[in-house]
Amino acid sequence: MDKDLELMRDLTETAGPPGFEVRVHRLMKRKLSEFTQELITDNLGSIVGKHGDSGPKILLAAHMDEVAFMVTHITKDGFLRMQPLGGWWGHVMLAQRVKVLSRNGDLTGVIGSKAPHILSIEERKNVLEISSIFVDIGASSKEEAEEFGVEVGDPIIPICPFEVLPNPKMLMAKAWDNRAGCFVTLQVLEQICRETHPNTVFCGATVQEEVGLRGAVTLSHKVSPDIAFALDVGVAGDTPGMSHKEGHSRLGAGPLLGFYDSSMIPHLNLRDFVIDTAKENKIPYQTDIMPGGGTDAGKIHMAHNGVPSMVISVPARYIHSHVSIVHRDDLDNAIKLLVSLIKKLDEETVGKMKGMDARGL
């Protein structure tokens, strides 16, 4: 396994539920420190590495948290009730292995519910409510579960080892949303540290994106960037049953440029600049319109007097579940595009980009 795949494995297999990102924060801090000693954090735990000392400030922000759960109740028989941290769909949850992150260590469990054999026909047609399911850690009573170390408020994460599939460019893991962005921002920082660029770059990741884009608010006020890129994943549309209008992106066809989501419309001048740069460098890209979701850019672009922002993602299959798949070429091309953009974002270019002096429409 090459060092890039090892980094992907470390990022995806490390736990980082919203509000409990300490393990992945520690990993990001260690990796960022390999390329720069100038680390900046906000008070919630978002972290970036800084490179450069002059010119406009360019922020590349992934988010380090993953969709997860929290223990809300321990039943008298030792089962754990939970609530989601981030968006979950009942169909993808049942019979999946999970880890409860307790003070005494990680405990393996499985998500269970009433057996389908005893459900009515109508009940089987419906998605089970999260209030109807539970985690079984093998405890026989509430007291035994507490002896194991479980407490109300403990986070729960999916279990899925990182794996390179038979097509070696297809990569399967939990938490690609958004360890893919974490991988990209670390790789960009490593590359620009070997290059000259006309700006000051901040590469890193925010906390608590999945529960309200919270770290994006605090980090953008800490850094006060001139230009920002939110690095994330988008929904791949290349699986059976997906219509073209529901999604047309494909794994391996290039990074996604976000043209619209529920939290932001990208700044037109920056959007055109990104497209032109991709074309000049013959970097494949796809467009993404996502009416039902948002990214950290939704908060970053409203910081202070406004920050021209753009979402650059990679397509991923099966996000917000226990497992997802991305394509190595999309990661590599996202890195290539961002490095190309950073090299061009000098004081004059950024100055012309701000405001509404755009191309004629």
Side-chain angles (χ1 to χ4, degrees):
M1 186 176 289
D2 66 36
K3 69 178 184 65
D4 289 347
L5 292 174
E6 289 179 358
L7 176 57
M8 294 178 198
R9 180 191 62 198
D10 291 346
L11 286 168
T12 55
E13 292 187 357
T14 300
F20 302 87
E21 297 95 342
V22 60
R23 297 185 193 181
V24 70
H25 171 95
R26 194 179 297 131
L27 175 59
M28 287 294 293
K29 182 178 181 179
R30 186 169 74 249
K31 293 298 181 180
L32 290 167
S33 298
E34 293 177 8
F35 313 123
T36 176
Q37 296 306 305
E38 292 192 74
L39 301 182
I40 297 169
T41 64
D42 64 24
N43 292 337
L44 297 185
S46 304
I47 184 169
V48 290
K50 176 184 174 185
H51 189 261
D53 292 304
S54 61
K57 293 188 285 187
I58 314 299
L59 173 63
L60 276 62
H63 68 86
M64 67 180 83
D65 59 319
E66 62 188 283
V67 291
F69 306 96
M70 178 187 286
V71 177
T72 59
H73 176 67
I74 306 171
T75 73
K76 64 181 179 59
D77 296 318
F79 297 98
L80 312 181
R81 296 292 187 183
M82 60 187 179
Q83 78 159 44
L85 299 177
W88 283 93
W89 185 44
H91 275 316
V92 303
M93 294 166 55
L94 292 179
Q96 298 289 344
R97 296 171 71 231
V98 293
K99 282 195 298 188
V100 182
L101 311 184
S102 81
R103 287 180 181 268
N104 292 352
D106 297 349
L107 304 170
T108 300
V110 63
I111 296 177
S113 70
K114 264 199 307 189
H117 311 73
I118 61 172
L119 297 177
S120 69
I121 293 174
E122 285 304 312
E123 285 178 314
R124 293 187 196 185
K125 292 179 181 179
N126 298 323
V127 178
L128 284 177
E129 298 291 333
I130 291 180
S131 59
S132 300
I133 66 178
F134 51 82
V135 173
D136 184 347
I137 58 169
S140 59
S141 65
K142 178 180 180 181
E143 291 74 22
E144 186 172 31
E146 291 173 338
E147 287 174 12
F148 292 165
V150 179
E151 299 176 0
V152 170
D154 284 345
I156 305 168
I157 65 160
I159 293 175
C160 179
F162 173 80
E163 186 171 352
V164 179
L165 297 180
N167 175 347
K169 292 192 175 183
M170 302 289 270
L171 308 169
M172 184 171 72
K174 77 167 182 67
W176 275 127
D177 182 8
N178 182 29
R179 308 296 159 68
C182 293
F183 174 78
V184 168
T185 196
L186 287 169
Q187 295 293 96
V188 170
L189 181 60
E190 180 178 10
Q191 289 193 29
I192 63 170
C193 284
R194 299 194 296 261
E195 312 243 8
T196 58
H197 53 91
N199 41 46
T200 303
V201 181
F202 301 83
C203 292
T206 65
V207 296
Q208 298 193 44
E209 190 266 0
E210 296 290 2
V211 290
L213 317 179
R214 296 169 185 172
V217 176
T218 51
L219 183 64
S220 57
H221 281 79
K222 181 79 172 182
V223 172
S224 191
D226 295 291
I227 299 291
F229 297 99
L231 313 182
D232 215 314
V233 297
V235 176
D238 58 354
T239 55
M242 290 284 285
S243 69
H244 185 77
K245 73 174 185 177
E246 291 171 326
H248 57 270
S249 65
R250 303 186 62 83
L251 266 61
L256 302 174
L257 305 185
F259 280 12
Y260 175 86
D261 64 47
S262 64
S263 68
M264 189 195 72
I265 299 171
H267 191 279
L268 180 57
N269 294 352
L270 179 58
R271 191 188 90 168
D272 287 351
F273 178 77
V274 172
I275 292 169
D276 292 344
T277 301
K279 290 179 177 178
E280 288 167 10
N281 290 275
K282 296 182 171 54
I283 301 170
Y285 68 89
Q286 307 176 77
T287 59
D288 190 30
I289 293 176
M290 184 177 62
T295 73
D296 276 340
K299 295 296 185 183
I300 295 171
H301 83 289
M302 296 188 293
H304 300 295
N305 294 326
V307 181
S309 301
M310 185 85 183
V311 182
I312 297 180
S313 302
V314 296
R317 295 174 183 165
Y318 324 121
I319 61 172
H320 284 225
S321 74
H322 284 68
V323 58
S324 51
I325 298 174
V326 300
H327 196 287
R328 179 71 180 265
D329 287 352
D330 297 329
L331 295 166
D332 291 344
N333 281 313
I335 294 162
K336 183 178 179 182
L337 176 57
L338 287 159
V339 171
S340 300
L341 291 167
I342 289 168
K343 289 180 179 179
K344 294 174 62 178
L345 285 168
D346 57 22
E347 197 84 60
E348 181 180 2
T349 301
V350 171
K352 290 179 179 177
M353 196 173 292
K354 295 178 178 180
M356 290 297 288
D357 292 329
R359 59 179 169 89
L361 294 175

